[in-house]
Amino acid sequence: RNVFELVALVHSELSEAVEAARIGEMDTIEVNDKPEGFYSELADAVIRICDIFEAHGKDLHSEMRRKMTYNQTRSHRHGGKLA
């Protein structure tokens, strides 16, 4: 799969998380032995992101540390963002 398809799959999991939250399925429940719910869908998104990093030989933890270090230096609502 190309990078666009991989990111679309992450987006799909996040959309499923939004839908679970919208209908109030916050806690994980088992449906036919399959975990479902808001947090389960977020976990699916993280798993897909981990898969992307692994497939491209990149270190997710290093990238996260780099972003967290940078984020500590920027101001709240940087760039005039309202939220």
Side-chain angles (χ1 to χ4, degrees):
R1 293 186 168 146
N2 66 48
V3 69
F4 305 108
E5 292 171 328
L6 295 172
V7 172
L9 290 170
V10 174
H11 185 274
S12 173
E13 298 297 350
L14 293 173
S15 294
E16 290 176 13
V18 168
E19 178 60 14
R22 188 187 69 76
I23 62 176
E25 291 181 356
M26 298 303 290
D27 294 327
T28 301
I29 58 171
E30 300 284 330
V31 178
N32 297 322
D33 294 327
K34 179 186 176 210
E36 292 187 9
F38 177 73
Y39 295 105
S40 180
E41 300 303 341
L42 288 182
D44 283 341
V46 171
I47 290 166
R48 289 199 179 274
I49 290 169
C50 290
D51 286 345
I52 293 170
F53 271 81
E54 185 175 325
H56 289 96
K58 301 297 180 182
D59 184 358
L60 174 59
H61 293 107
S62 293
E63 291 298 326
M64 290 174 62
R65 282 192 298 273
R66 182 181 308 178
K67 286 297 289 191
M68 291 172 74
T69 298
Y70 168 74
N71 287 344
Q72 290 175 344
T73 69
R74 65 184 197 181
S75 62
H76 182 66
R77 294 187 179 181
H78 63 284
K81 292 181 180 178
L82 299 176

